[in-house]
Amino acid sequence: MHRFFISAEHFQTAEISLPREISQQICRVLRLKIGSEIMLLDDLGFEYVSRLTEVNESQCTASILSKQTSPGEPATQITLLIGLTQREKFELILQKCTEIGVTTFIPIITTRTLIQKTSDADDKLPRWKKIIQEAAEQSHRGRIPLLSPALKYAEALAKSTTEDALKLILWEDEANLSIKQQLRAFKGNQVSLIIGPEGGFSLEEVELAKASGYIPVSLGKRILRMETAAIHAAGVVLYELG
């Protein structure tokens, strides 16, 4: 069943007028007919089985048949701070980590990121949000992960998470403490992960993270590409904590 996020304000009545972009997708791409069933999502954690009652490119309408809590949201909330990198790599991280279950993305600028100005990332936000939404629909998420504007490293550390969260910075020079050890000792449901850019973090950046409550951890003995590290770390968190 095809899934579409629409704003919660559309669900005030049992008969819903779908946005023009979705209507065009239904007609031109999916070629659905009157009577076809679709799943509508309100981005609040609920999903609605609906039946198309009118199909045209200017506006489709659907009638709600049933409402239920979306089962696709993990119990653990992950905030991922990720160094800005090449477009293909960064978009892969957004897509795959949305599918896995990341809750919030914060693009960060460090001393070694390829992008050094937050303004250089601003014009990419609409495309990134679309990638995240499409991945959320495909993977049966009940909410669209949040995407922050790009932040400087120190600012991101201050804004990234609450005091109750487990804060971890993945650092290739950490030899003693593994991510698994920290996760298995943690009893909460909020985790903040920092993934560095190509070239990793400077020692000063690691110390700044530690001063902000982050714990340096290792993902293992092998050195991973940043996109591999981000996807793997998110999967490990949800495997251990659910």
Side-chain angles (χ1 to χ4, degrees), residues 2 4 18-34 36 38 52-61:
H2 297 286
F4 306 96
L18 301 180
R20 184 179 182 87
E21 182 179 358
I22 292 176
S23 296
Q24 291 177 342
Q25 183 182 0
I26 286 173
C27 293
R28 296 178 182 177
V29 180
L30 302 176
R31 300 184 181 277
L32 301 181
K33 307 297 183 182
I34 291 175
S36 297
I38 59 175
L52 291 172
T53 55
E54 183 178 354
V55 176
N56 63 71
E57 292 187 11
S58 60
Q59 188 172 77
C60 294
T61 59

Side-chain angles (χ1 to χ4, degrees), residues 32-45:
L32 301 181
K33 307 297 183 182
I34 291 175
S36 297
E37 292 188 1
I38 59 175
M39 186 73 79
L40 299 177
L41 304 107
D42 61 8
D43 199 22
L44 297 174

Side-chain angles (χ1 to χ4, degrees), residues 177-191:
L177 196 58
S178 72
I179 188 172
K180 181 173 71 174
Q181 290 172 298
Q182 285 297 307
L183 292 173
R184 292 190 172 178
F186 182 59
K187 303 303 180 183
N189 67 345
Q190 296 185 57
V191 177

Side-chain angles (χ1 to χ4, degrees), residues 72-140:
E73 285 303 299
T76 300
Q77 298 180 15
I78 301 176
T79 297
L80 185 63
L81 290 77
I82 184 74
L84 285 168
T85 185
Q86 297 172 353
R87 180 178 65 84
E88 294 82 0
K89 289 184 179 182
F90 194 78
E91 292 178 357
L92 177 69
I93 292 169
L94 294 178
Q95 182 188 65
K96 299 309 177 187
C97 288
T98 294
E99 293 174 11
I100 289 171
V102 167
T103 308
T104 302
F105 295 96
I106 303 179
I108 58 174
I109 294 176
T110 72
T111 56
R112 296 173 182 168
T113 51
L114 297 178
I115 297 174
Q116 287 295 312
K117 295 181 180 179
T118 57
S119 58
D120 291 341
D122 289 344
D123 63 341
K124 299 179 177 66
L125 287 174
R127 174 179 170 83
W128 291 345
K129 288 180 179 179
K130 185 175 182 180
I131 289 170
I132 290 171
Q133 178 172 331
E134 289 177 351
E137 290 172 346
Q138 180 273 323
S139 58
H140 288 210

